Amino acid sequence: MELTLEKHDQMMLFKISNGEDLKEEFCTILPIVDIIEQMGSFVSQKYKTNIKEIEMKNGSYAATKRFVGLATVNKLKTGWSRQLLQTIAILDLKYVEELISLKQADLEEFNERIGIPRNSLLDRLSEKQRHHCSILKCPMGRNDSIEKSRATPVVHPQLNVCVDHFKKNTAFTDGRYKSSQEIRKAYEKAPRVSFKDVTKSKVETPEFTNKGSKKLREQHGLSLCIIGAAGAGKTTMTKRMVTTCMDEKKMPFLIPFAQIDKDERWSVKTLLTKFLCRFHDLKPSEEEIDEAFHWILANQEKCFLIFDGLDQSSFVISNEPIENPDINDEFLPGDLMSLLLSRKFLPNTRIAVTSRPHSLVQFAPAIQPDIVVFLNDLVSDDVEKLMNHYLDNGTASEMLEKLRTKSPRIHQLTRNPLLLRLIALLSNEKGENVWTYVSTIAKLFFEVVDLLQLSAHHERGDIDVEVLNRKLAAMAFYKIIEGSVVFEQSDLERYGLSGENVQDFLFGVLSSNHNNRTSNNALLVGLLEVFFYFHHQSTQEFFSARFVLEQLPVGEFEEFVGKLFPRLEKGADGKLKVGEDSFANLRVFVIGMVNEMKNRHQLDEDEILRKKNIFINFLCDHLRQLFVDPSEHSAGDHQMQMLVDMMDFRDEELNREIRQHLNDVNFRFKVGSLDVAAHREGFFHFMQHFVSNVRYLWLDIDEWSDDEIRRLFQSIQSSTAKIEEMEILMNPQQLEQWSDHVVAILPHLTRKLELGFLGGDERGCRKLKEEIINFDTSNLQTEELKVEVWDFGDRTFLDVVLRRGQPPQFNN
């Protein structure tokens, strides 16, 4: 077994320390004074004297423990272990030689345990961290049971690299209010990395080959920051990182920022040992702490420091790292973190910091991480896994499919782990009645807010819940109007609120410009400069929409509603262009509030009626402009947005009123394939509930599912809309399969139906011809209707004229 001197020393120390029985026996039987006299320069004269003094005062056992301790903290000359064995052989201590001689099995165990002896401080700390990371929290603030936590499926949200984050990326970081669409666009083309890259592990996650992924895999001594919205899964991810590191023979250190007292001074050694021991209720000796830290220094590449929740920190990380620091010195937390992030300490150790994005904004180049990773949405398969786990009844696939078709906005929210769990919790609470509560996003948030305010951990102080909600609504609205998601203490004071009152919905972080901080509980302080944010931007939008409908005076309401819809105007090229849609998310909540008006009995009926009429007038004027311009325009994305928005109108009486306002509109739909499923659902809902007349409808359904094609035809059949011209692009197999449905919509057409496809298969045409021959033309709404089937090779397969009450006239 060939080992370097250094590795031999490490293994010898590991063997002696790896079990109390062997260490106890070694320290008991070794004639330590005779040994060190024979070891020459491997034990310095200073330490020989020290060991002899201990032997005279406390006996050989204590002196031998001192010898082992000196070896642990690298106070003996490299190669000491080989010299120890030679000395033992010279003194003919065969039993001792047999006891500590290194064997192949020792090497295997050393590698398996990465040199950390059993029952050592790092071993005990590992077990404490593993237990801590096996327990997850529910949205109501309580810990899940160990069984439920362990059964929770392991999922990994998408991870995107924020390229040039501190120069270019402002999405989600600077406190400005932005729609979720804008935030998503900031990352939709960003390169992806995997959980395997972040942890430099072998877990089964997708593999990528971009620069960020390669950098994470090849360089261990990196600093990275993992940013994400509230509920995106940052803390859960840190716990997965800890257990993954342990499974892959690394030593993680998970440190919650919120638990670090800003006034307590720490060294690297005490932060990674004493701090974590206090957090996990361990009481190590100073000797154990020294041993643990020297292992860390010698094995930096096997360590992973994970700091969770920078946004919850009571201190600010210094932008100017201290020059020429000593790693053994103690520092205030802001300075110590600065030294770690600037890589002045533990440069070969990977460091990860999790945070909501705003906390990184003020980072100077000296402490900026090597790479910033955005924790994005869950992928569809993982959404289903988690939903199945959290639902008490029913299946996730069934629920998610219903959400997709009934409430696309809420379906999108399930990609956020926190909101997914809240939706599952609501389903468990309401059972089969849940669908009455998730019909609109506004109604969902009414229920979620009620659940949070009734939860066991809710503490709002001495304020009535309705009073609290009205104040939160006013505060939320006026900040959105300012274009901000950041609340200062003065904002809370203006409405007579405290951190304690709002802690279920807002979290606090200390200002990066504040230097005199005196508490580590940002939510409960009254004298500190603290910034507050809603836990999720959707919550701020919900409360803002409540204010708009419940408190905003009618005159101001009318002025504000005009801002809810982007400006539409023709450009120099004659095409319709859409202005900035700053309040797209808020618009959906207001639609939901309008839909809920008659159920909010505490509101003034006359005022509500006036607001409803104002809103409907603005809405219908906007739809008239958006869907009747005959020119080619660049408003397609906004058309899709409005189709989905309109799905939150669920009240039949209100829908009839809107339809009446739009009765004179000849809609023109050239909406292509409606690539996103939510757009198709929005189109079906819009056609069925709001459209009376269609001048032109063009659709490409080649890649639609059977269920979506069926619902398209059903939405036309169940509506009373009259369609002047309709053009559908489909494949020959679809034409053959759906010929009977095509004929069934003919009574809704008044001028022309064109069916186009790519390919020369005529079977679908023959089937359609048979259906048309059997069609009762007396059901037509018009005197004459033309039907054509053609392909992109300019061939006409079917040309037929239908006249009311007469047989079909086929022209080919």
Side-chain angles (χ1 to χ4, degrees):
M1 187 169 56
E2 294 295 328
L3 298 173
T4 64
L5 292 177
E6 186 176 9
K7 187 66 174 284
H8 195 281
D9 289 346
Q10 291 174 353
M11 281 190 58
M12 177 64 72
L13 191 59
F14 172 79
K15 180 162 186 173
I16 293 171
S17 304
N18 192 32
E20 286 299 316
D21 290 346
L22 190 148
K23 186 174 183 179
E24 186 79 11
E25 188 171 4
F26 175 78
C27 291
T28 301
I29 65 175
L30 193 71
I32 188 62
V33 172
D34 293 338
I35 293 289
I36 60 174
E37 285 297 342
Q38 295 288 330
M39 289 184 67
S41 64
F42 287 93
V43 182
S44 70
Q45 190 58 50
K46 170 184 173 183
Y47 290 123
K48 284 179 180 178
T49 302
N50 177 241
I51 290 171
K52 289 177 182 178
E53 289 174 350
I54 293 174
E55 196 270 343
M56 291 180 62
K57 185 176 181 181
N58 298 315
S60 180
Y61 178 88
T64 305
K65 283 195 72 174
R66 173 60 172 163
F67 173 81
V68 174
L70 291 170
T72 301
V73 296
N74 295 331
K75 297 301 184 181
L76 304 183
K77 183 179 175 181
T78 301
W80 66 265
S81 57
R82 288 191 190 277
Q83 184 64 32
L84 173 65
L85 287 172
Q86 291 175 17
T87 302
I88 289 172
I90 292 171
L91 296 175
D92 198 26
L93 301 171
K94 289 185 170 32
Y95 178 71
V96 178
E97 184 178 6
E98 179 62 26
L99 186 68
I100 65 171
S101 290
L102 299 180
K103 302 176 178 62
Q104 182 64 32
D106 297 319
L107 176 61
E108 292 171 0
E109 187 171 9
F110 177 87
N111 292 334
E112 175 68 19
R113 298 187 58 82
I114 57 173
I116 297 176
R118 286 190 184 88
N119 205 39
S120 65
L121 175 57
L122 291 180
D123 187 44
R124 302 199 307 275
L125 192 55
S126 293
E127 289 306 309
K128 287 285 188 178
Q129 288 190 108
R130 186 182 288 277
H131 177 75
H132 170 74
C133 292
S134 68
I135 300 174
L136 305 178
K137 281 186 179 289
C138 79
M140 313 310 286
R142 298 184 292 265
N143 285 339
D144 284 335
S145 67
I146 294 178
E147 293 75 17
K148 190 173 185 68
S149 294
R150 287 176 178 169
T152 302
V154 176
V155 299
H156 301 296
Q158 297 178 72
L159 301 171
N160 295 96
V161 176
C162 305
V163 180
D164 291 332
H165 178 81
F166 294 93
K167 296 179 181 178
K168 298 179 181 178
N169 196 302
T170 59
F172 237 177
T173 64
D174 54 9
R176 289 185 294 128
Y177 172 75
K178 306 173 187 69
S179 69
S180 57
Q181 291 88 342
E182 183 181 351
I183 293 167
R184 271 189 213 99
K185 283 182 179 179
Y187 297 104
E188 65 183 1
K189 294 183 180 179
R192 288 186 62 186
V193 295
S194 68
F195 179 81
K196 173 164 56 178
D197 299 330
V198 169
T199 53
K200 205 180 177 190
S201 63
K202 299 175 182 177
V203 295
E204 290 295 323
T205 56
E207 293 192 11
F208 304 99
T209 58
N210 56 66
K211 291 180 181 179
S213 179
K214 186 177 180 181
K215 185 175 184 179
L216 285 167
R217 284 198 305 271
E218 294 181 355
Q219 301 177 39
H220 186 74
L222 289 176
S223 61
L224 64 145
C225 192
I226 301 166
I227 60 174
K234 297 184 295 298
T235 295
T236 299
M237 183 175 174
T238 63
K239 292 183 175 183
R240 303 288 192 213
M241 290 163 70
V242 167
T243 55
T244 297
C245 285
M246 291 179 180
D247 292 342
E248 303 226 349
K249 316 305 178 193
K250 297 188 184 82
M251 182 64 207
F253 299 84
L254 176 57
I255 300 174
F257 274 108
Q259 298 297 323
I260 302 176
D261 188 327
K262 68 175 184 60
D263 291 322
E264 195 166 0
R265 301 180 75 87
W266 300 96
S267 66
V268 177
K269 177 171 75 173
T270 55
L271 182 67
L272 299 184
T273 54
K274 285 187 177 180
F275 171 84
L276 280 176
C277 287
R278 186 170 69 188
F279 183 72
H280 291 292
D281 197 26
L282 289 172
K283 295 179 173 58
S285 67
E286 288 298 325
E287 181 183 357
E288 287 180 310
I289 288 172
D290 287 341
E291 291 175 0
F293 186 56
H294 277 84
W295 183 94
I296 293 169
L297 291 176
N299 296 273
Q300 293 185 40
E301 73 287 349
K302 295 176 183 175
C303 297
F304 195 164
L305 309 190
I306 305 165
F307 295 89
D308 184 36
L310 174 60
D311 48 276
Q312 299 169 26
S313 170
S314 65
F315 60 88
V316 175
I317 299 176
S318 171
N319 275 325
E320 298 180 3
I322 294 171
E323 293 295 328
N324 303 315
D326 186 327
I327 197 168
N328 296 305
D329 285 348
E330 292 184 340
F331 306 90
L332 289 172
D335 288 323
L336 181 55
M337 282 304 305
S338 177
L339 292 167
L340 285 168
L341 288 176
S342 63
R343 311 325 311 262
K344 291 183 180 294
F345 292 153
L346 304 182
N348 297 319
T349 295
R350 179 162 294 192
I351 298 177
V353 173
T354 72
S355 179
R356 299 185 198 191
H358 57 268
S359 296
L360 273 67
V361 174
Q362 303 298 329
F363 273 22
I367 64 168
Q368 287 172 4
D370 297 310
I371 190 166
V372 178
V373 175
F374 177 66
L375 196 61
N376 214 325
D377 291 338
L378 292 169
V379 297
S380 299
D381 288 348
D382 286 344
V383 169
E384 189 167 339
K385 284 181 190 176
L386 278 184
M387 187 67 81
N388 265 326
H389 174 70
Y390 289 123
L391 284 178
D392 290 342
N393 300 296
T395 63
S397 58
E398 177 185 5
M399 182 168 193
L400 291 169
E401 179 59 22
K402 282 187 178 180
L403 285 175
R404 186 183 70 80
T405 57
K406 293 175 179 288
S407 306
R409 295 286 184 193
I410 297 175
H411 184 266
Q412 179 64 41
L413 292 179
T414 62
R415 294 181 176 271
N416 177 286
L418 172 66
L419 296 177
L420 178 151
R421 190 157 184 193
L422 283 169
I423 292 167
L425 179 67
L426 184 62
S427 178
N428 295 338
E429 289 273 337
K430 305 298 182 182
E432 286 298 316
N433 295 325
V434 69
W435 298 109
T436 65
Y437 296 95
V438 295
S439 55
T440 71
I441 193 169
K443 195 164 188 178
L444 168 70
F445 271 81
F446 270 120
E447 294 304 315
V448 167
V449 166
D450 284 348
L451 275 176
L452 287 172
Q453 292 181 326
L454 292 172
S455 67
H457 81 293
H458 175 65
E459 297 289 345
R460 61 176 178 270
D462 56 356
I463 189 170
D464 177 77
V465 67
E466 286 301 324
V467 173
L468 171 63
N469 288 342
R470 288 176 66 84
K471 290 183 175 185
L472 282 173
M475 192 171 71
F477 173 77
Y478 285 113
K479 275 297 178 180
I480 278 188
I481 292 301
E482 291 177 17
S484 177
V485 295
V486 183
F487 301 82
E488 298 178 10
Q489 285 180 296
S490 59
D491 296 314
L492 271 68
E493 293 166 1
R494 187 176 304 120
Y495 294 96
L497 296 173
S498 67
E500 181 183 13
N501 298 147
V502 303
Q503 63 182 305
D504 269 5
F505 301 108
L506 285 86
F507 68 96
V509 298
L510 288 159
S511 164
S512 59
N513 298 319
H514 191 68
N515 296 315
N516 185 26
R517 293 167 291 281
T518 57
S519 169
N520 65 354
N521 189 338
L523 282 177
L524 302 181
V525 296
L527 301 173
L528 307 183
E529 186 178 356
V530 183
F531 289 157
F532 294 86
Y533 300 78
F534 273 92
H535 286 152
H536 195 276
Q537 184 171 299
S538 294
T539 312
Q540 182 177 356
E541 290 159 346
F542 164 75
F543 277 109
S544 298
R546 284 192 68 167
F547 179 81
V548 169
L549 270 297
E550 296 177 3
Q551 300 182 61
L552 196 63
V554 173
E556 293 180 37
F557 176 85
E558 185 167 9
E559 180 182 351
F560 172 70
V561 169
K563 300 176 182 178
L564 279 180
F565 302 96
R567 186 175 180 181
L568 302 175
E569 59 184 1
K570 285 188 178 180
D573 57 1
K575 294 182 179 181
L576 187 68
K577 298 188 183 298
V578 181
E580 186 175 357
D581 197 7
S582 303
F583 297 111
N585 290 359
L586 186 55
R587 179 174 62 242
V588 182
F589 277 100
V590 173
I591 287 173
M593 293 292 174
V594 172
N595 192 75
E596 286 289 303
M597 277 178 170
K598 67 181 183 182
N599 299 320
R600 314 305 294 174
H601 302 298
Q602 72 272 29
L603 304 179
D604 180 270
E605 290 187 12
D606 180 61
E607 181 177 322
I608 288 298
L609 181 62
R610 292 170 65 193
K611 287 184 175 180
K612 180 190 71 173
N613 290 336
I614 290 170
F615 185 80
I616 289 177
N617 285 332
F618 269 100
L619 170 69
C620 293
D621 284 346
H622 188 72
L623 293 173
R624 280 190 182 89
Q625 295 179 68
L626 190 60
F627 287 103
V628 300
D629 195 305
S631 66
E632 292 287 332
H633 57 62
S634 56
D637 287 348
H638 184 59
Q639 285 183 331
M640 300 304 101
Q641 180 87 27
M642 288 305 301
L643 290 178
V644 177
D645 288 357
M646 294 296 289
M647 290 188 72
D648 272 41
F649 283 116
R650 295 289 179 174
D651 183 80
E652 289 300 323
E653 182 180 336
L654 185 59
N655 288 354
R656 284 194 296 271
E657 190 172 346
I658 295 172
R659 186 190 187 100
Q660 187 63 37
H661 275 73
L662 297 171
N663 194 49
D664 61 336
V665 179
N666 273 314
F667 285 92
R668 293 173 180 264
F669 296 103
K670 190 170 183 180
V671 288
S673 60
L674 297 164
D675 293 331
V676 179
H679 297 163
R680 298 169 196 169
E681 299 300 334
F683 175 75
F684 303 152
H685 183 82
F686 195 77
M687 282 293 298
Q688 186 172 351
H689 293 286
F690 306 113
V691 175
S692 298
N693 303 288
V694 178
R695 171 65 185 84
Y696 180 68
L697 171 59
W698 184 90
L699 289 170
D700 179 354
I701 65 171
D702 180 48
E703 296 184 1
W704 287 24
S705 69
D706 286 351
D707 182 60
E708 289 169 331
I709 295 173
R710 181 181 298 106
R711 295 183 60 230
L712 166 66
F713 289 123
Q714 287 175 348
S715 68
I716 294 174
Q717 285 179 258
S718 61
S719 76
T720 59
K722 296 178 181 180
I723 304 172
E724 190 172 337
E725 291 186 41
M726 184 174 181
E727 184 175 343
I728 305 178
L729 303 185
M730 60 201 318
N731 61 57
Q733 292 74 29
Q734 289 173 328
L735 179 57
E736 182 177 13
Q737 180 180 354
W738 300 100
S739 288
D740 55 339
H741 285 71
V742 171
V743 171
I745 66 171
L746 293 179
H748 293 269
L749 301 173
T750 63
R751 185 166 179 263
K752 188 177 184 179
L753 171 64
E754 292 187 50
L755 304 171
F757 57 84
L758 181 63
D761 192 335
E762 298 185 29
R763 286 177 299 174
C765 295
R766 288 196 295 270
K767 179 74 184 298
L768 179 61
K769 186 173 183 178
E770 292 172 9
E771 296 287 346
I772 291 176
I773 289 172
N774 296 317
F775 174 67
D776 184 356
T777 59
S778 64
N779 291 324
L780 291 175
Q781 293 190 50
T782 184
E783 291 298 322
E784 183 176 295
L785 176 68
K786 188 171 183 178
V787 179
E788 287 185 8
V789 181
W790 45 265
D791 75 356
F792 288 97
D794 291 330
R795 290 183 295 174
T796 300
F797 291 99
L798 188 65
D799 182 358
V800 60
V801 176
L802 302 176
R803 295 184 177 87
R804 188 189 295 162
Q806 297 182 29
Q809 178 185 326
F810 293 94
N811 298 322
N812 66 344

